[in-house]
């Protein structure tokens, strides 16, 4: 029981660190001031390079270094992470930061739903109620974008959330170390963006920001978040994307004065409050089950 508890705590700490690092991703993309494909190309190239260097150093000093792609499942997970990167960058350039991160927070409910269908981890009634509230919040955000030019970006963000939840759920099902699979997965967006850039050329006013993002921020966040499902459930991992939901709009508002719309704030508040309440409920239930197990099987 104590080993399981320690593993769970380890997973929570790793995932929380990755989620915190991810909160500065969007501000760094905006600071770089470039077009979508140029940003995606440089970001992906730096992430791949850093990932391979990390893996080579790890493998040099230890025989227990994880595989870059753990089997066929790892290949699928890598592809899903790659697709989510493409969708994410497109959403950054086609909707507001507030709308984007609020909608991406929906991946927690997607993960719970996918876990129910494929892993037979049936959500409790409280989780189903939370899902319903999330749908209301998303509807308010997407509905407010009709006629404003942001509908495409919001739909892309919703697709990104679903693909990301699929990668998390599949990682959870495999129970394998997917940290490097998530990093190697950016080969896909690198190839796609490279093809687009070959036609238009690189267009980044401040490349230092996106180089730092791709070489440091993304490898750390992707590696930590992709490793989370090895220790904790898919919905729990997805919940840590809440950190980006809460903090990314704050950083963007402070740096660029990009204030969210009223409907975005209303929908986002529903999402955040729902997920926070649901997380607190999960934590309480986990402690209650742990206490019950300790009584049944005393040391």
């Amino acid at each position: 029981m104590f080993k399981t508890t320690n593993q769970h705590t380890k997973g929570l700490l790793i995932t929380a660190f990755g989620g915190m690092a991810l909160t500065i991703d969007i501000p760094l993309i905006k600071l770089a001031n470039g077009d979508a494909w140029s940003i995606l190309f440089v970001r992906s190239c730096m992430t791949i390079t850093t990932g391979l260097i990390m893996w080579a150093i790890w493998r040099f000093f230890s025989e227990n270094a994880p595989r870059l792609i753990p089997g066929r499942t790892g290949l699928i997970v890598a592809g899903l992470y790659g697709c989510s990167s493409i969708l994410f960058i497109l959403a950054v350039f086609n909707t507001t930061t507030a709308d984007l991160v609020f909608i991406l927070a929906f991946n927690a409910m997607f993960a719970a739903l996918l876990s129910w269908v494929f892993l037979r981890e049936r959500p409790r009634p409280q989780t189903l109620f939370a899902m319903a509230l999330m749908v209301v919040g998303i509807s308010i955000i997407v509905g407010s974008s009709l006629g404003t030019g942001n509908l495409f970006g919001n739909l892309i963000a919703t697709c990104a959330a679903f693909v990301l939840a699929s990668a998390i759920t599949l990682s959870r099902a495999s129970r394998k170390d997917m940290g490097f699979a998530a990093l190697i997965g950016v080969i896909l967006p690198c190839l796609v963006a490279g093809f687009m850039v070959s036609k238009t050329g690189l267009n980044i006013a401040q490349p230092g920001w996106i180089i730092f993002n791709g070489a440091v921020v993304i490898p750390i966040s992707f590696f930590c978040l992709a490793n989370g499902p090895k220790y904790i459930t898919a919905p729990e991992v997805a919940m840590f994307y809440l950190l980006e939901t809460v903090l990314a709009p704050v950083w963007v508002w402070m740096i660029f004065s990009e204030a969210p719309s009223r409907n975005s704030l209303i929908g986002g508040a529903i999402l955040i409050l729902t997920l926070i309440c649901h997380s607190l409920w999960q934590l309480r239930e986990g402690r209650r089950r742990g206490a019950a197990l300790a009584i049944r099987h005393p040391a």
Side-chain angles (χ1 to χ4, degrees), residues 127-269:
T127 301
L128 294 175
F129 179 69
M131 288 182 185
L133 289 179
M134 294 284 284
V135 170
V136 172
I138 292 294
S139 299
I140 293 174
I141 294 173
V142 175
S144 68
S145 64
L146 291 173
T148 66
N150 289 335
L151 178 59
F152 173 74
N154 286 348
L155 291 176
I156 290 295
T158 304
C159 291
F162 180 79
V163 172
L164 188 59
S166 300
I168 294 171
T169 304
L170 191 56
S171 298
R172 173 65 176 175
S174 71
R175 300 299 179 107
K176 295 179 180 179
D177 191 329
M178 294 291 180
F180 285 106
L183 298 180
I184 299 303
V186 298
I187 289 177
L188 176 60
C190 184
L191 293 175
V192 173
F195 174 76
M196 299 302 293
V197 168
S198 66
K199 297 182 178 181
T200 60
L202 280 175
N203 177 27
I204 304 176
Q206 301 291 334
W209 294 112
I210 201 63
I211 290 174
F212 173 72
N213 190 24
V216 179
V217 175
I218 296 303
I220 290 174
S221 59
F222 274 28
F223 184 83
C224 292
L225 290 167
N227 257 324
K230 184 179 177 181
Y231 306 102
I232 59 179
T233 67
E236 284 179 313
V237 173
M239 291 288 185
F240 280 99
Y241 284 87
L242 262 179
L243 293 171
E244 185 180 27
T245 302
V246 176
L247 295 178
V250 175
W251 308 148
V252 170
W253 173 67
M254 292 173 63
I255 299 171
F256 304 101
S257 300
E258 182 184 297
S261 67
R262 185 188 66 176
N263 281 357
S264 293
L265 287 174
I266 294 173

Side-chain angles (χ1 to χ4, degrees), residues 28-93:
L28 290 174
I29 289 173
K30 290 182 174 292
L31 283 169
N33 190 20
D35 65 72
W37 296 115
S38 295
I39 291 290
L40 182 60
F41 179 69
V42 174
R43 180 177 181 260
S44 300
C45 285
M46 296 308 302
T47 300
I48 294 170
T49 302
T50 302
L52 289 175
I53 292 173
M54 288 169 55
W55 181 78
I57 294 174
W58 192 340
R59 188 172 180 81
F60 179 80
F61 286 102
S62 174
E63 296 181 353
N64 297 323
R67 298 169 61 186
L68 282 175
I69 304 292
R72 184 180 301 176
T73 302
L75 187 63
I76 297 174
V77 169
L80 289 172
Y81 275 112
C83 290
S84 70
S85 292
I86 296 175
L87 294 170
F88 173 77
I89 293 295
L90 291 177
V92 169
F93 285 86

Side-chain angles (χ1 to χ4, degrees), residues 117-128:
V117 175
F118 295 105
L119 305 184
R120 297 296 185 265
E121 296 177 353
R122 183 175 181 177
R124 297 190 177 187
Q126 292 88 338
T127 301
L128 294 175

